[in-house]
Amino acid sequence: MWGRWLSLRSLGRVTHDLISPPYYSHNDPMSVQFRTTPMDSTGVPHILEHTVLCGSQKYPVRDPFFKMLNRSLSTFMNAFTASDYTLYPFSTQNPKDFQNLLSVYLDAVFFPCLRHLDFWQEGWRLEHENPKDPQTPLTFKGVVFNEMKGAFTDNERVFSQHLLNKLLPDHTYAFVSGGHPLKIPDLSWEQLKEFHATHYHPSNARFFTYGNFPLEHHLKQIHEEALSKFQKIEPNTAVPPQQLWEKPREHCVTCGTDSFATDSKKQTMVSISYLLADITDTFETFTLNLLSSLLVGGPNSPFYKALIESGLGTDFSPDVGFNGSTREAYFSVGLQGISEENIDTVKEIIAKTIDEVIEDGFEEERIEALLHKIEIQMKHQSTSFGLALTSYIASCWNHEGDPVDLLKIAEKVTQFRQCLKEDPQFLQKKVKQYFKLNKIERKGNHLHFDYLLLWHGSGQKDNPHRLTLSMSPDMAFYDKQRAMEEAKLKEKVEALSEAKKKQTYEKGLELLDLQSKQEDTACLPALKVSDIEPRIQFTELEMALTAEDVPVQYCAQPTNGMVYFRAISSLNTLPEELRPYVPLFCSVITKMGCGALSYREQAQEIDLKTGGLSVGPHITADDSHLDIYEQGVLFSSLCLDRNLPDMMHIWSEIFNNPHFEDEEHFKVLVKMTAQELSNGIPDCGHLYASIRASRTLTPAGELHELFSGMEQVKLMKRIAEMSDITTVLRKLPRIKKHLLNSDNMRCSVNATPQQMPSAAKAVEKFIKGIARSKKERKTIRPHVIEKPSDPKTTGDDALACSQITRKLITDPTFQPCQMKTHFLLPFPVNYVGACVRTVPFTAPDHASLHILARLMTAKFLHTEIREKGGAYGGGARLAHNGIFGFYSYRDPNSLSTLDTFEKAAEWAKMGKFTQQDIDEAKLAVFAAVDAPVAPSDKGMNNFLHGISDEMKQQHREHLFIVSKDNLIDAANKYLTAGKSTRGLAILGPENPDIAKDPSWVIR
């Protein structure tokens, strides 16, 4: 067996020393990893990642990977291309499913069917706008091409890519492993096959598993289905050490403009990056990671104080801090949202800050807070723990590091404490070692440093392997990219003979025909609907009313010594003019200081005593009526059980005495929030499109758009642009009066049974200690519906529960209406959303629509939008609030995609699917419905959404009995144009057809 193997059993000794404890539910992950080291930017490992999952020798069907999404109960299936490895992970709770998925993955990666690769031998094919004309222009329609075009609209990602390429320029890191859009078309079929032959071999593979399923079965299957069929080779894929520089380097690059930048003249980014240690030195990288957190983590860090609070920019530069994803780690720090003329100023601040850290060191409390965070991570349980492990060890293991040693976090914490005890300047010396050097050379796998000072006026020189990278926007950036793409197209077309053009055209038609054919998927393994458990396991909840009539839900769970606290406070009395500012209030309320604590002291206390405090808007639809919903703010936190009184005291101070006086700090937080929202659009464009499309379909839709949609992005941009922000700051105390009190509040606690009595006392004390409104506040929207809680409780508890209600609101005058919105963005791809108003969660048709969405995605939309249309992603889904949504992601098309959504509805209404298709859709739906729930999240459906286990069981029974007639009926009832109200939204470039259509609102 030539592949390297790592198996961590949940009962093994090693797991008790990991960064997080084993989660003992049957949710077993498996992964196979290959070291993939491209030497060009054609994206060969990325395209291969997509290709091997598109048919294999044992499973010669198109896209078995996506088809298995509907034939299994997997809790996770995916594939990832990193800068120097490709990872294929999955997880499932079902042993038979594990065996099925492992078989498909093994055959896919080791024995892919390359018969389909000749369809893109030149990386191009006809668009078929005029299929009768063999001279039709060729357009590259590959999914990877459009994925990377979308990726390169994300300026943060563009910056990070350049940083990697320039800091480590001597080998594979000099190239774009995902593929540069202008280089992807150069990849040939022969190159792809050769790369597979040399990199996808067991001698270059690493296998990982974690969980309770018998290890021997995994080993036997992997040996028989893959490893036994190969002979050992020397893959020669190792990444050599980076040649060290004798002097620092600087590079300047360009990017596209940011439509939502808070200042159009301040869109430059700059950072300084330093080469660090080999990542296989696990204690050194552990130390450097901690050091990085101390340098840039939170408002008490020296670089936050020096850079963020300088007012020069909006946020840290991309890829800030420690990066251990390459053979040699690196540290980067800088600013974004600055003026180009301030680049030198930022460089000077960074140099000065490093000198100050070497001189002053770090406060002991900050170090303790960081180690406390690690303790929290080691105790917090996650249902994706095994998957997190495979990701955590991937880079180190990829370069022959010891993954088991890497996971011994407790040992490293002990060793770290010992180093600090023996040498109080241990960390300062590390800063000097890596950031203030005269001479640097390599001995073996480690960097060796010469500390002899070379007096050059200012004293010691900086680390010579240091990169200063700056990036500024170019108004013509996307136009230049488009021109280069067209030139590439012209070059490719002109290089083709008439015979080659005809052949390429015919191959395009052949591909189109292949994509349209129905396939026999009987060769693929599959579970059956009968394999699904008919009933869910109910979670026992206790409900109680405090002396202040605040309802509290208690859920006793094996939380491993952790306590999880949540509270929801209603927005029902908040004046309309304050509502747009609720997300900003949520963002800053835990970061402005409280009581006797400044914002720096507050941050320190939160880090020392909790696993973090979070606050966010909470909007949830009623389970039985689309026009009834709850609006509020959700407060969440977690802590070690010994720190529960301290955590609740922090919440008390935030509720009673929040600080709203520091205007300068408020400005910093506003700019950071606005920058984060703007940076998130390229990754979340389809979500923004869907939120906008559903805006006018329910009473809560407008609020969703206001709090989480493009309206919030635009509002934060306007606030960040204000020269005088006091008018906004003054709104926060007004919001506080309506939110931070015990009126219309409810709480929940998840903890161990032993901890629950003391947790109840701490929560009761918190509630008693916070203010109630001095005067009765009337709801702004007068139509309030009080809905009783629905847990099945008996005895005295039942009497208490009968008094517990959730105050929901409705608008009897609401009428859904259609709206079509096009947000103009300087992107070369589109994000498309179309939403339809349907039925609430408890309606039987909700189950039919749930399965219909999965069926349409797998059997129609995936083929039309991704395979034929070239979009990176697309499909349909039904939300809990009864909104049925279609979407596409990084899509070269827009209006034609909306046409595809209509065709999907027609396809469904005509019943062009089989019983097997329905069963597969049910499997996929149940895989999501039955996804494992961590102890910290048990009972949250009831607390957050008012959905009891009884309701979930009823919905489950509805899902089981959905028939073909139910699906056709649901499609006709809700997806027929004119029968249901719908909304449309597109985020993307200018479109002349949309521009001349008056039914579209262009923003």
Side-chain angles (χ1 to χ4, degrees):
M1 296 175 65
W2 310 120
R4 296 162 179 83
W5 179 268
L6 177 66
S7 179
L8 297 176
R9 305 285 84 189
S10 63
L11 299 179
R13 177 192 61 79
V14 120
T15 57
H16 296 288
D17 193 24
L18 306 181
I19 197 167
S20 182
Y23 183 63
Y24 37 82
S25 166
H26 285 277
N27 185 31
D28 286 31
M30 165 75 196
S31 70
V32 57
Q33 172 183 332
F34 301 97
R35 186 190 291 143
T36 48
T37 50
M39 297 307 292
D40 58 41
S41 293
T42 60
V44 57
H46 189 191
I47 292 173
L48 191 57
E49 171 219 315
H50 284 254
T51 304
V52 301
L53 297 175
C54 292
S56 64
Q57 292 180 13
K58 188 176 179 181
Y59 306 110
V61 297
R62 189 177 70 252
D63 244 350
F65 173 79
F66 279 95
K67 289 179 171 61
M68 286 304 294
L69 289 173
N70 302 296
R71 300 172 72 88
S72 84
L73 292 173
S74 64
T75 54
F76 186 85
M77 283 179 67
N78 216 326
F80 304 101
T81 301
S83 58
D84 54 15
Y85 67 84
T86 305
L87 183 69
Y88 296 89
F90 69 82
S91 64
T92 180
Q93 301 177 88
N94 185 292
K96 176 62 177 174
D97 200 30
F98 188 101
Q99 182 182 350
N100 291 348
L101 291 169
L102 180 56
S103 180
V104 171
Y105 267 65
L106 289 175
D107 210 62
V109 297
F110 289 115
F111 310 105
C113 182
L114 302 183
R115 60 182 172 80
H116 53 287
L117 296 187
D118 60 345
F119 290 127
W120 62 273
Q121 184 168 357
E122 296 296 332
W124 304 81
R125 76 168 177 84
L126 292 175
E127 185 155 9
H128 300 296
E129 290 180 353
N130 185 2
K132 294 183 180 179
D133 180 7
Q135 303 300 322
T136 302
L138 297 171
T139 304
F140 186 80
K141 299 286 286 186
V143 170
V144 172
F145 181 73
N146 288 305
E147 177 187 351
M148 296 310 295
K149 281 181 73 173
F152 275 81
T153 63
D154 181 344
N155 287 346
E156 287 199 306
R157 179 161 179 173
V158 171
F159 187 90
S160 297
Q161 184 66 61
H162 281 297
L163 193 160
L164 176 67
N165 299 156
K166 304 298 185 185
L167 183 66
L168 297 162
D170 293 352
H171 197 258
T172 190
Y173 305 123
F175 306 103
V176 184
S177 62
H180 192 285
L182 294 173
K183 298 294 184 182
I184 289 173
D186 294 334
L187 181 63
S188 71
W189 180 21
E190 289 77 11
Q191 287 173 306
L192 190 78
K193 289 201 298 182
E194 175 63 22
F195 195 88
H196 180 272
T198 55
H199 291 77
Y200 279 56
H201 189 283
S203 297
N204 192 46
R206 290 162 176 81
F207 299 90
F208 170 94
T209 185
Y210 173 90
N212 291 341
F213 298 159
L215 173 62
E216 294 77 11
H217 294 176
H218 305 339
L219 294 173
K220 184 174 184 293
Q221 185 177 356
I222 291 172
H223 176 72
E224 291 177 352
E225 296 186 17
L227 303 188
S228 64
K229 301 177 182 180
F230 291 85
Q231 296 297 317
K232 184 177 181 180
I233 65 169
E234 292 297 331
N236 298 319
T237 56
V239 178
Q242 167 64 43
Q243 184 67 37
L244 301 176
W245 301 343
E246 294 184 356
K247 61 180 181 180
R249 299 180 183 179
E250 295 197 12
H251 287 279
C252 302
V253 296
T254 60
C255 63
T257 56
D258 181 356
S259 304
F260 295 96
T262 58
D263 187 334
S264 61
K265 297 179 181 178
K266 292 184 176 183
Q267 297 191 46
T268 293
M269 305 180 185
V270 63
S271 74
I272 298 179
S273 303
Y274 304 81
L275 190 70
L276 303 178
D278 191 303
I279 61 171
T280 60
D281 186 340
T282 57
F283 178 69
E284 190 72 358
T285 54
F286 174 83
T287 300
L288 291 170
N289 207 342
L290 292 184
L291 178 59
S292 171
S293 296
L294 291 168
L295 288 170
V296 299
N300 292 301
S301 65
F303 278 119
Y304 187 101
K305 295 175 182 177
L307 290 174
I308 299 298
E309 295 184 348
S310 69
L312 294 173
T314 55
D315 203 348
F316 280 125
S317 55
D319 214 10
V320 66
F322 177 86
N323 189 308
S325 64
T326 51
R327 170 166 176 171
E328 289 139 315
Y330 57 89
F331 174 87
S332 181
V333 65
L335 272 179
Q336 60 179 305
I338 69 169
S339 299
E340 201 165 350
E341 56 265 27
N342 283 331
I343 289 176
D344 286 340
T345 304
V346 172
K347 290 160 61 177
E348 291 167 5
I349 291 173
I350 292 172
K352 181 183 177 184
T353 304
I354 288 172
D355 288 339
E356 290 173 350
V357 170
I358 292 171
E359 180 68 25
D360 302 332
F362 302 100
E363 297 174 3
E364 185 176 342
E365 268 203 335
R366 290 202 62 227
I367 297 172
E368 284 303 316
L370 195 55
L371 297 177
H372 169 259
K373 183 178 181 180
I374 293 174
E375 185 179 0
I376 291 275
Q377 291 172 336
M378 292 175 71
K379 283 184 170 290
H380 174 66
Q381 296 179 338
S382 166
T383 58
S384 59
F385 173 68
L387 287 169
L389 283 188
T390 190
S391 177
Y392 181 70
I393 68 174
S395 290
C396 179
W397 197 17
N398 195 49
H399 298 288
E400 313 300 339
D402 183 347
V404 174
D405 182 61
L406 179 70
L407 294 171
K408 294 179 178 177
I409 303 300
E411 283 186 12
K412 290 175 176 56
V413 170
T414 301
Q415 186 178 351
F416 179 77
R417 287 190 181 279
Q418 185 63 30
C419 289
L420 286 176
K421 183 178 179 180
E422 293 174 356
D423 184 359
Q425 292 199 328
F426 172 68
L427 288 172
Q428 289 157 269
K429 289 179 178 177
K430 289 296 178 187
V431 176
K432 184 183 294 185
Q433 177 179 346
Y434 288 101
F435 303 133
K436 297 290 291 185
L437 307 175
N438 307 119
K439 185 178 178 182
I440 181 170
E441 61 183 45
R442 190 183 305 281
K443 290 187 177 180
N445 286 334
H446 303 280
L447 303 183
H448 175 70
F449 307 98
D450 185 350
Y451 298 106
L452 294 175
L453 297 181
L454 296 178
W455 295 98
H456 248 321
S458 61
Q460 202 172 16
K461 288 184 178 179
D462 293 348
N463 177 355
H465 201 107
R466 183 177 83 247
L467 171 72
T468 301
L469 178 67
S470 61
M471 186 172 79
S472 297
D474 179 354
M475 291 289 290
F477 180 81
Y478 292 117
D479 291 335
K480 291 176 181 177
Q481 293 292 112
R482 192 178 305 111
M484 287 188 285
E485 184 181 322
E486 290 171 355
K488 190 82 171 182
L489 167 64
K490 184 177 179 182
E491 173 195 335
K492 288 287 184 181
V493 172
E494 290 179 349
L496 295 175
S497 65
E498 290 302 314
K500 190 67 173 177
K501 288 180 183 179
K502 187 172 185 294
Q503 180 190 15
T504 306
Y505 172 76
E506 290 171 349
K507 285 292 183 185
L509 290 177
E510 188 181 345
L511 174 60
L512 190 63
D513 181 62
L514 178 69
Q515 291 170 333
S516 302
K517 281 183 178 177
Q518 289 290 327
E519 290 187 295
D520 181 5
T521 58
C523 64
L524 288 171
L527 294 181
K528 299 176 181 178
V529 174
S530 58
D531 293 326
I532 302 169
E533 290 291 331
R535 295 191 61 81
I536 62 172
Q537 185 175 353
F538 282 29
T539 299
E540 185 175 339
L541 302 174
E542 290 186 18
M543 307 294 292
L545 280 173
T546 66
E548 286 69 32
D549 291 333
V550 173
V552 183
Q553 173 182 294
Y554 296 101
C555 184
Q557 292 289 320
T559 56
N560 202 28
M562 299 287 295
V563 179
Y564 299 85
F565 170 78
R566 282 106 166 172
I568 292 176
S569 185
S570 171
L571 285 171
N572 290 353
T573 67
L574 189 71
E576 293 285 348
E577 74 270 14
L578 295 177
R579 287 156 71 89
Y581 302 93
V582 167
L584 176 58
F585 177 90
C586 294
S587 177
V588 305
I589 187 61
T590 61
K591 302 169 186 172
M592 295 282 288
C594 61
L597 303 175
S598 68
Y599 71 87
R600 295 194 202 280
E601 293 167 334
Q602 181 188 40
Q604 187 87 311
E605 192 69 8
I606 290 172
D607 287 345
L608 277 168
K609 301 299 183 182
T610 81
L613 311 182
S614 66
V615 184
H618 171 75
I619 309 168
T620 187
D622 180 53
D623 58 84
S624 57
H625 202 296
L626 295 184
D627 293 335
I628 299 174
Y629 66 98
E630 182 180 37
Q631 55 173 358
V633 166
L634 172 64
F635 305 84
S636 304
S637 61
L638 67 155
C639 67
L640 301 170
D641 53 18
R642 66 174 185 264
N643 290 329
L644 180 59
D646 295 307
M647 182 176 78
M648 300 314 298
H649 177 70
I650 296 171
W651 276 126
S652 296
E653 291 293 270
I654 289 172
F655 270 66
N656 290 330
N657 303 297
H659 294 179
F660 298 118
E661 301 81 25
D662 193 334
E663 185 176 336
E664 289 306 308
H665 182 55
F666 181 58
K667 283 182 180 178
V668 169
L669 297 176
V670 164
K671 287 182 179 180
M672 292 179 73
T673 301
Q675 187 70 61
E676 288 169 4
L677 288 174
S678 177
N679 291 342
I681 294 175
D683 274 339
C684 301
H686 62 308
L687 299 180
Y688 282 113
S690 296
I691 291 171
R692 183 68 177 200
S694 64
R695 175 184 182 181
T696 57
L697 302 185
T698 65
E702 184 74 29
L703 200 57
H704 273 293
E705 170 68 13
L706 188 65
F707 284 176
S708 308
M710 293 298 290
E711 287 300 313
Q712 184 62 208
V713 177
K714 290 159 61 179
L715 174 64
M716 287 307 305
K717 171 178 161 55
R718 290 197 298 271
I719 295 174
E721 288 171 342
M722 291 180 177
S723 56
D724 183 358
I725 208 168
T726 54
T727 55
V728 177
L729 184 57
R730 287 172 186 159
K731 296 179 188 297
L732 302 188
R734 295 177 60 200
I735 295 175
K736 180 260 180 192
K737 290 180 182 178
H738 293 269
L739 275 180
L740 302 188
N741 53 59
S742 60
D743 300 347
N744 301 321
M745 175 191 279
R746 67 178 191 275
C747 303
S748 82
V749 178
N750 284 34
T752 63
Q754 298 84 353
Q755 183 63 24
M756 202 59 83
S758 57
K761 290 179 181 178
V763 172
E764 179 89 27
K765 182 179 179 181
F766 159 72
I767 293 170
K768 284 182 178 178
I770 60 176
R772 296 186 70 88
S773 294
K774 294 180 181 178
K775 60 179 181 179
E776 174 132 8
R777 298 182 185 276
K778 294 184 179 180
T779 58
I780 299 302
R781 300 192 175 187
H783 299 282
V784 174
I785 297 171
E786 295 200 12
K787 192 162 187 177
S789 177
D790 189 34
K792 296 298 183 251
T793 313
T794 58
D796 294 339
D797 289 335
L799 180 62
C801 289
S802 67
Q803 304 172 44
I804 296 175
T805 61
R806 297 166 65 232
K807 294 184 178 179
L808 312 179
I809 63 171
T810 187
D811 181 356
T813 64
F814 175 80
Q815 290 293 327
C817 62
Q818 178 167 302
M819 178 172 282
K820 298 154 70 174
T821 310
H822 184 202
F823 284 96
L824 293 178
L825 296 174
F827 296 164
V829 289
N830 296 279
Y831 303 87
V832 185
C835 292
V836 183
R837 175 186 165 101
T838 64
V839 291
F841 178 78
T842 53
D845 280 353
H846 192 94
S848 299
L849 290 162
H850 198 168
I851 291 172
L852 185 61
R854 184 63 243 173
L855 182 68
M856 295 169 75
T857 297
K859 300 301 177 181
F860 188 89
L861 292 169
H862 175 76
T863 298
E864 297 298 320
I865 293 176
R866 182 176 166 105
E867 292 181 358
K868 295 181 182 179
Y872 181 40
R877 57 190 166 203
L878 179 68
H880 158 70
N881 63 4
I883 299 299
F884 190 99
F886 299 92
Y887 68 95
S888 72
Y889 181 74
R890 292 181 182 170
D891 191 343
N893 310 299
S894 55
L895 292 179
S896 62
T897 295
L898 291 175
D899 291 339
T900 298
F901 295 159
E902 293 295 331
K903 292 174 183 175
E906 291 300 316
W907 173 88
K909 287 188 289 183
M910 294 174 68
K912 292 186 175 181
F913 44 85
T914 66
Q915 184 59 46
Q916 180 179 330
D917 296 336
I918 298 171
D919 290 345
E920 290 179 5
K922 287 185 178 182
L923 282 171
V925 167
F926 276 108
V929 168
D930 291 341
V933 179
S936 57
D937 294 325
K938 292 281 188 178
M940 282 302 102
N941 268 320
N942 187 74
F943 177 71
L944 297 177
H945 309 294
I947 296 179
S948 65
D949 285 343
E950 287 79 8
M951 293 179 190
K952 288 193 289 184
Q953 179 61 37
Q954 184 183 49
H955 179 65
R956 184 182 199 82
E957 291 164 6
H958 289 160
L959 290 171
F960 273 116
I961 63 175
V962 167
S963 66
K964 184 171 185 176
D965 288 342
N966 295 144
L967 295 171
I968 294 172
D969 181 61
N972 278 288
K973 192 185 298 184
Y974 304 106
L975 303 185
T976 299
K979 283 195 174 182
S980 295
T981 309
R982 61 192 58 211
L984 309 176
I986 297 172
L987 276 66
E990 290 186 20
N991 186 307
D993 292 327
I994 293 177
K996 63 187 180 186
D997 184 346
S999 67
W1000 282 88
V1001 176
I1002 300 177
R1003 303 294 297 270

